Amino acid sequence: MTSSVLDLAPVVPVVVLEDAADAVPLARALVAGGLPAIEVTLRTAAALDAIGAIAAEVPDAVVGAGTVISVRNVADTVAAGARFLVSPGWTDSLLDAMKASGVPFLPGVSTTSEVVALLERGVSEMKFFPAEAAGGTAYLKALSAPLPQARFCPTGGISLASAPSYLALPNVGCVGGSWMVPADAVAAKDWARVERLASEAAGLRG
């Protein structure tokens, strides 16, 4: 069982799949490139089938569900085989469901009060979203002094160029991004390109 999403790899690919048939070859390319943790977002109708296919056919992948925003999402994605959950934000009922799911989860935060509220509930690992729009590395660096126990996976607007500055922060375990799964590469089924981009991302932290 995955104990911490933050320690699987320096970068968690954030994947949007229109066609579940692309899930397995995409996941294999990401794993081959060194990125085993894969967040499949619930932004498309194919998402649940994609999660199920990766869980069943790519044993080296740790597939998770992103854009989890309801109790129903939690139940559906875990049933499909998701091994971690990521939300853009959280409510008490959503947090309770994620806690009860039995899999690791990263509830989303963008303010100090949200971080403190999660720490009060016993949650110290969270997603910082939308990272660039919400203050970026300067904001996270400022949080590290008063709230050193909180660890983050910043996601939202992060690129290959900006990722190292996030990963250098003491309170950042990994970053989320989609630059290694560009839509045109997925549409063209250019899995070799995805693997190359994944390998480049995996090398960001030695």
Side-chain angles (χ1 to χ4, degrees):
M1 175 58 68
T2 311
S3 58
S4 171
V5 184
L6 300 183
D7 298 324
L8 288 169
V11 179
V12 177
V14 178
V15 175
V16 180
L17 283 169
E18 300 292 342
D19 185 350
D22 291 333
V24 168
L26 177 68
R28 286 177 176 151
L30 290 169
V31 170
L35 299 180
I38 302 167
E39 177 188 332
V40 177
T41 68
L42 299 183
R43 299 179 199 174
T44 67
L48 284 176
D49 287 340
I51 290 168
I54 295 170
E57 299 182 49
V58 192
D60 292 333
V62 181
V63 64
T67 324
V68 174
I69 58 171
S70 70
V71 173
R72 176 69 182 271
N73 286 164
V74 173
D76 288 348
T77 53
V78 172
R83 292 168 63 185
F84 65 91
L85 307 171
V86 183
S87 71
W90 65 278
T91 63
D92 286 331
S93 59
L94 180 58
L95 188 68
D96 288 342
M98 290 194 292
K99 276 188 162 187
S101 70
V103 301
F105 57 93
L106 295 173
V109 297
S110 60
T111 69
T112 309
S113 293
E114 291 168 331
V115 176
V116 172
L118 282 177
L119 291 172
E120 193 176 75
R121 296 284 299 269
V123 177
S124 61
E125 297 187 348
M126 44 200 92
K127 170 179 177 170
F128 179 58
F129 177 83
E132 288 287 284
T137 54
Y139 195 97
L140 285 170
K141 187 174 182 180
L143 286 181
S144 66
L147 301 169
Q149 64 273 55
R151 294 179 73 216
F152 301 95
C153 174
T155 304
I158 297 174
S159 65
L160 178 66
S162 62
S165 60
Y166 282 95
L167 292 168
L169 296 173
N171 56 349
V172 170
C174 63
V175 300
S178 54
W179 75 85
M180 75 300 298
V181 284
D184 60 338
V186 176
K189 306 189 190 305
D190 189 351
W191 311 127
R193 181 180 168 206
V194 171
E195 183 177 340
R196 283 196 306 274
L197 292 170
S199 181
E200 196 175 28
L204 287 175
R205 178 185 286 159

